[in-house]
Amino acid sequence: MENRSEAEASPYKSLVAAVSYGIASMAMVFINKAILMQYGHSMTLLTLQQLATALLIHFGRQMGYTRARGVDMQTAKKLLPVSLFYNANVAFALASLKGVNIPMYIAIKRLTPLAVLIAGFSSGKGKPTTQVTLSVLLIAAGVIIAALGDFSFDLWGYGMALTSVFFQTMYLVLVERSGAEDGLSSIEIMFYNSFLSLPFLIFLIIATGEFPNSLALLFAKSNSLSFLVILVISLVMGIVLNFTMFLCTIVNSALTTTIVGVLKGVGSTTLGFVVLGGVEVHALNVTGLVINTTGGVWYSYAKYQQKMSKPPRQVSDVEAHHK
């Protein structure tokens, strides 16, 4: 598996990483919503996804399918905050999906790029370019306008989603820093994340009372072929999403990864209106989505101009425009 070379990726690999993450992320929203409609124990679901990821990578390394290095305790200590922020993000995101429809969930999550910029600036990494700043602000403005058209406001669900935005911002910045400074590959970061998550998640499902009821319900529903299919797809897509997300963040940057999430959200929002229903189409929603998409395209153009105007240099977006 590649280490440093991931951070020195070609434009083609950077594009593939971004597109792959966008597709996986869009699919995962609907898969999680579908399984949560049948199985409401979100923390147990997350634990199963992390366990499947850790086991797959472990056996893949044992059988020689990946050159990922074994566990190093010093590296594990450095990546512990990444794991905690990641699981907090996913836990709050899954909780919010129980009370918020998909279009509005995605609209709130689109605030992450703005949060990434603010986090980078407040940590003393400097000021981003004017075009990058304005494009991300335009994206956020589109989110707010679209959200104003939501007449099924759920304060609890909105609160969970906004908390998820905070944790997602923190772990994306930490993932980028860890990958760049420690020379870790995306698979290695993914393994450490899953490995370190399990004790924390097991404690949570016991402390919150999900266990053992969640396992009893899981076994009871195992007789349903449709449920098993959705569960297996959820576990597999959880692995795919984690890999593409970490790869995109290392190859590109934390801000680029969140912008990809913003753009894929347009497709997810449209499908959310058509496939799941339950959301009234309002002029504010359409206006907000148009503004949001315009901001995403503007950001892409600003990044292209920035790369063309500077000589090639091994530097991440965090260093280049100081998220």
Side-chain angles (χ1 to χ4, degrees), residues 28 32 44-53 234-235 238-239:
M28 197 63 187
N32 279 336
T44 301
L45 177 63
L46 177 56
T47 304
L48 292 175
Q49 290 175 345
Q50 296 290 45
L51 178 61
T53 300
S234 172
L235 297 179
I239 297 171

Side-chain angles (χ1 to χ4, degrees), residues 88-137:
N89 163 54
V90 177
F92 280 102
L94 288 173
S96 69
L97 277 173
K98 294 180 182 179
V100 178
N101 60 63
I102 285 181
M104 290 305 103
Y105 163 81
I106 294 171
I108 297 170
K109 292 289 283 182
R110 286 194 193 116
L111 293 173
T112 305
L114 179 60
V116 170
L117 277 178
I118 295 173
F121 182 72
S122 62
S123 64
K125 294 196 172 182
K127 183 180 179 181
T129 64
T130 301
Q131 287 205 59
V132 168
T133 301
L134 292 178
S135 63
V136 173
L137 287 176

Side-chain angles (χ1 to χ4, degrees), residues 307-323:
K307 288 183 179 180
M308 292 298 291
S309 63
K310 294 182 179 180
R313 182 186 174 195
Q314 301 309 322
V315 64
S316 68
D317 276 339
V318 167
E319 296 165 326
H321 56 66
H322 310 292
K323 298 183 308 303

Side-chain angles (χ1 to χ4, degrees), residues 14 27 37 91 102 142 163 168 174 288 290 302 316 321:
S14 297
M37 291 172 67
I102 285 181
T163 306
Q168 183 177 10
L174 288 174
V290 170
S316 68
H321 56 66

Side-chain angles (χ1 to χ4, degrees), residues 211-265:
F211 180 85
N213 293 334
S214 58
L215 282 184
L217 180 60
L218 187 64
F219 285 124
K221 284 186 169 291
S222 62
N223 295 324
S224 171
L225 179 60
S226 61
F227 174 77
L228 288 178
V229 169
I230 296 176
L231 178 62
V232 171
I233 292 176
S234 172
L235 297 179
V236 172
M237 285 304 300
I239 297 171
V240 173
L241 175 61
N242 286 342
F243 174 75
T244 56
M245 177 191 64
F246 290 133
L247 178 63
C248 183
T249 305
I250 294 174
V251 168
N252 296 299
S253 75
L255 184 58
T256 298
T257 301
T258 56
I259 290 292
V260 171
V262 166
L263 294 178
K264 66 87 185 176

Side-chain angles (χ1 to χ4, degrees), residues 101 103-104 107 142-153 158 273 278-289:
N101 60 63
M104 290 305 103
V143 171
I144 295 172
I145 294 173
L148 289 175
D150 182 19
F151 296 107
S152 58
F153 182 80
Y158 270 61
F273 279 115
V279 182
E280 181 183 350
V281 178
H282 192 280
L284 286 174
N285 291 116
V286 177
T287 302
L289 287 176

Side-chain angles (χ1 to χ4, degrees), residues 49-98:
Q49 290 175 345
Q50 296 290 45
L51 178 61
T53 300
L55 290 176
L56 179 66
I57 297 175
H58 171 72
F59 287 116
R61 185 173 61 238
Q62 294 295 320
M63 298 172 67
Y65 289 115
T66 175
R67 295 198 296 270
R69 292 166 290 185
V71 176
D72 176 75
M73 292 310 297
Q74 288 299 114
T75 303
K77 289 179 181 178
K78 289 182 181 179
L79 291 179
L80 182 59
V82 173
S83 178
L84 293 177
F85 282 127
Y86 170 84
N87 285 284
N89 163 54
V90 177
F92 280 102
L94 288 173
S96 69
L97 277 173
K98 294 180 182 179

